[in-house]
Amino acid sequence: MSRSAQGFTLIELIVVITIIGILAAVALPRYINVQRDARIAKLQALNGSIRAASALAHARCLLDQAANPVGPCTAAGGTANMEGLAIPMINGYPQANAGGIIAAAQLNAATDGLTISAGGAGAGVAITVDLIGATTPATCRISYTSAAAAGSAPVIAVPLTAGC
């Protein structure tokens, strides 16, 4: 009398479940690290975007000053025209507010997954951009401090990425 296989034995099922459990235990920490690495990469991309926007607005302001010293962008303030947007400037660089560096870099808090806080129109004022989803948002941020005086550049910093 021959016995045909009708299914899996209990031992076979336990072995397969054990193997799947081991694979999950190895893969899960790697997946978590990939998410953290992605947030750090996004923060570095934001850093580049803000730096580029600041440099482009500064160049636009310098061009305006060369063409018309009392024009829309002066050494102390005014506005720079970037793609049809009037970017408010302070000391030749974008102001640290939503109409300034945030508009120049074309950042959108809702669609880009960001929290944008503080900022203002004065010299030496800082605005911070935090990534939503970071384990500790206060240590996964970029800050932009507007130019403190004529002839000085803004301070753009990514202080920590430990909480990403």
Side-chain angles (χ1 to χ4, degrees):
M1 171 178 219
S2 76
R3 184 173 160 219
S4 63
Q6 295 292 324
F8 298 105
T9 66
L10 184 59
I11 297 296
E12 290 170 333
L13 290 174
I14 290 173
V15 167
V16 168
I17 291 171
T18 303
I19 291 171
I20 291 172
I22 291 169
L23 289 174
V26 170
L28 189 61
R30 290 180 188 217
Y31 174 71
I32 291 170
N33 286 341
V34 168
Q35 286 182 330
R36 180 179 175 273
D37 292 346
R39 284 190 292 270
I40 290 171
K42 183 177 181 178
L43 194 65
Q44 291 169 342
L46 281 170
N47 181 27
S49 175
I50 289 172
R51 285 182 185 279
S54 176
L56 286 172
H58 179 64
R60 177 77 247 176
C61 188
L62 291 175
L63 284 171
D64 288 347
Q65 288 174 28
N68 184 2
V70 292
C73 193
T74 65
T79 61
N81 185 352
M82 292 182 69
E83 294 189 4
L85 293 174
I87 305 297
M89 306 292 278
I90 186 83
N91 296 322
Y93 288 92
Q95 293 178 358
N97 56 24
I101 191 62
I102 301 303
Q106 298 181 353
L107 299 179
N108 184 321
T111 59
D112 294 336
L114 307 171
T115 302
I116 301 169
S117 56
V125 175
I127 189 168
T128 58
V129 179
D130 298 335
L131 292 182
I132 294 175
T135 48
T136 311
T139 59
C140 190
R141 72 169 33 147
I142 184 168
S143 68
Y144 174 90
T145 305
S146 61
S152 68
V155 177
I156 304 166
V158 180
L160 298 170
T161 58
C164 288

